[in-house]
Amino acid sequence: MQVLLADEYGFCFGVERAVEMVEEAVGHGDTVRSLGPLIHNEQEMQRLGEHGVTTISEPVQIKRGETAVIRAHGVTPDVQRELEEKASKVVDATCPFVTRVQKLAARAAEKDRHVVIVGSPDHPEMIGVKGYAPDHAFVIRDETEVAGLPRLRNPLVVSQTTIKAKTFFDTAEAIKTKTDGEVQVVNTICSATRDRQDAARALAGMVDVFYIIGGRHSSNSVKLLAVCEEQCRKSYLIETKDEIDVADLAGAERVGVTAGASTPQWLIRKIVEHIDHLGKLSDESLTLA
Ligand code: F3S
């Protein structure tokens, strides 16, 4: 049995950077507290927890002497200010791709232009970006919500970094009906999600079983599962090696593996080694038979 890894999988650049920044702060002996879970992966959160990293839900919970972490999603300028006032140090791990969207929104608002962000209004990244264009920004999910927008002043249209390109461009097109001014459309979708999906799609048709390693609450992992299921009926989203049912591997010649953008390398390695081990066992039992 062969185990094949997708060409792109696991931590995206922004998440990897955030984890490295937190590890560096821990290495300096800081008491590190992340505003919201640093990543959507229970196992990695557990590992960081063993190094003393804890999670808070409100900036008010941070105390002097502690290091506050802004995760890759970013926060509003107000929240950032509050953290800077309360904490002894702030580690700003906002992904640079998100910072770019924040800056674009802030610049447009300074010129009194409207900003339409295509994404989920309750997603932390969207709440953060909206905060950079107070009284000027609207967050809408897709083109069906364009009708609810007021007339727009030379709008800037940007996207949540993880949405589908089609949703973004269809919405941007529909927004043109809402203004007599100029519409500036800037595609701020990050390629990390798409790259992982493309790589999974390329592999799914070649394997008998596909394991997607990722958190059940990680939306990009759930999307990867859907992509794999299109071509490989036996696709499974797993968080740990214990969730692998050996019976699913019976008769499998090729097993595909990919992982969501919040899945750490050490966990992927552990699971791949386990699948390899199971494969060797079944090969041996076939030889004995
Ligand atoms: Fe950044 Fe893209 Fe990851 S925006 S946090 S590199 S998915």
Side-chain angles (χ1 to χ4, degrees):
M1 193 181 81
Q2 234 186 331
V3 183
L4 301 168
L5 273 158
D7 281 346
E8 294 276 346
Y9 63 91
F11 272 2
C12 64
F13 157 75
V15 169
E16 186 161 24
R17 179 175 170 272
V19 172
E20 280 171 8
M21 288 169 91
V22 166
E23 281 174 338
E24 201 183 319
V26 169
H28 289 147
D30 298 4
T31 303
V32 180
R33 312 196 78 192
S34 163
L35 181 59
L38 189 69
I39 59 172
H40 291 291
N41 185 276
E42 223 181 287
Q43 291 69 31
E44 179 69 351
M45 289 301 288
Q46 223 171 322
R47 185 187 73 86
L48 292 169
E50 284 160 16
H51 288 89
V53 179
T54 51
T55 302
I56 53 169
S57 51
E58 300 289 336
V60 71
Q61 292 170 273
I62 200 91
K63 294 187 199 78
R64 194 95 341 251
E66 295 178 337
T67 294
V69 177
I70 297 173
R71 55 192 179 159
H73 297 314
V75 293
T76 65
D78 287 349
V79 169
Q80 175 142 7
R81 222 169 292 124
E82 199 177 339
L83 290 174
E84 279 161 1
E85 279 165 18
K86 291 204 160 62
S88 289
K89 195 162 102 189
V90 175
V91 171
D92 183 0
T94 308
C95 175
F97 298 134
V98 175
T99 306
R100 177 178 173 236
V101 193
Q102 293 172 342
K103 284 189 178 157
L104 283 166
R107 260 184 255 137
E110 268 163 32
K111 292 183 186 143
D112 199 26
R113 294 167 54 200
H114 279 125
V115 178
V116 183
I117 317 154
V118 186
S120 306
D122 43 5
H123 191 284
E125 179 189 320
M126 296 293 86
I127 295 168
V129 173
K130 198 171 176 223
Y132 277 79
D135 308 322
H136 288 78
F138 303 94
V139 184
I140 56 170
R141 287 176 202 280
D142 51 37
E143 60 178 314
T144 63
E145 295 184 9
V146 170
L149 292 172
R151 294 299 297 170
L152 300 167
R153 280 189 309 276
N154 297 329
L156 163 73
V157 187
V158 287
S159 53
Q160 186 174 331
T161 52
T162 46
I163 66 163
K164 277 191 186 148
K166 186 175 184 322
T167 307
F168 175 63
F169 288 114
D170 287 352
T171 310
E173 199 51 42
I175 286 169
K176 291 181 182 164
T177 62
K178 280 285 175 178
T179 183
D180 301 318
E182 212 180 294
V183 183
Q184 184 192 8
V185 178
V186 183
N187 176 4
T188 50
I189 297 172
C190 167
S191 67
T193 310
R194 200 193 51 223
D195 292 348
R196 275 152 191 70
Q197 289 177 5
D198 288 350
R201 196 171 285 118
L203 186 57
M206 296 159 55
V207 296
D208 307 301
V209 182
F210 212 137
Y211 289 108
I212 299 93
I213 311 169
R216 271 178 244 297
H217 302 296
S218 148
S219 71
N220 75 85
S221 302
V222 174
K223 275 181 207 150
L224 274 177
L225 171 68
V227 165
C228 295
E229 278 174 336
E230 283 167 15
Q231 296 178 79
C232 178
R233 196 177 45 84
K234 290 170 96 178
S235 295
Y236 307 100
L237 177 61
I238 56 167
E239 291 190 5
T240 65
K241 67 182 178 55
D242 301 330
E243 291 170 46
I244 294 175
D245 184 347
V246 189
D248 292 327
L249 291 168
E253 283 177 20
R254 277 188 293 264
V255 176
V257 174
T258 185
S262 321
T263 309
Q265 193 59 40
W266 62 264
L267 182 61
I268 300 167
R269 204 178 311 121
K270 213 164 151 181
I271 294 178
V272 167
E273 277 169 15
H274 182 66
I275 300 170
D276 238 351
H277 173 70
L278 293 175
K280 283 194 186 105
L281 286 182
S282 73
D283 287 351
E284 272 166 26
S285 64
L286 277 177
T287 317
L288 288 175

